[in-house]
């Protein structure tokens, strides 16, 4: 499965780091000292999230692309 999930990256003053979240994969997030590092880290975590879900027999959500909020 490709990495076509929406990724939200923001600066956290509390953590003093960039935080990258993947809303479609519950609990899937990473951080980094730079925007690029956070993105690289979360791409690896997406792979690990999918691998773990597969091993546990849990469903893997299909990427929806850009999420729409009402």
């Amino acid at each position: 499965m490709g990495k076509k999930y929406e990724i939200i990256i923001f600066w956290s003053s509390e953590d003093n780091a960039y935080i990258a979240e993947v809303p479609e994969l519950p609990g899937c997030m990473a951080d980094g000292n730079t925007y690029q590092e956070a993105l690289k880290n979360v791409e690896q975590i997406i792979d690990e999230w999918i691998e773990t879900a597969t091993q546990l027999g849990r469903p893997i959500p299909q990427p929806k692309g850009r999420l729409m909020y009402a």
Side-chain angles (χ1 to χ4, degrees), residues 2-67:
K3 296 177 188 168
K4 297 182 180 180
Y5 293 97
E6 180 177 41
I7 298 170
I8 299 171
I9 302 176
F10 61 92
W11 175 255
S12 170
S13 296
E14 182 179 322
D15 298 309
N16 199 32
Y18 285 92
I19 307 296
E21 296 180 341
V22 184
E24 295 173 275
L25 304 177
C28 187
M29 60 177 30
D31 64 4
N33 292 323
T34 66
Y35 185 97
Q36 292 79 11
E37 183 180 359
L39 179 59
K40 179 182 170 192
N41 291 344
V42 83
E43 286 175 342
Q44 180 178 345
I45 296 301
I46 289 170
D47 290 339
E48 292 174 9
W49 193 102
I50 291 170
E51 181 181 330
T52 299
T54 301
Q55 289 173 353
L56 296 173
R58 295 187 177 158
I60 300 168
Q62 291 295 315
K64 296 176 184 158
R66 182 169 168 80
L67 297 180

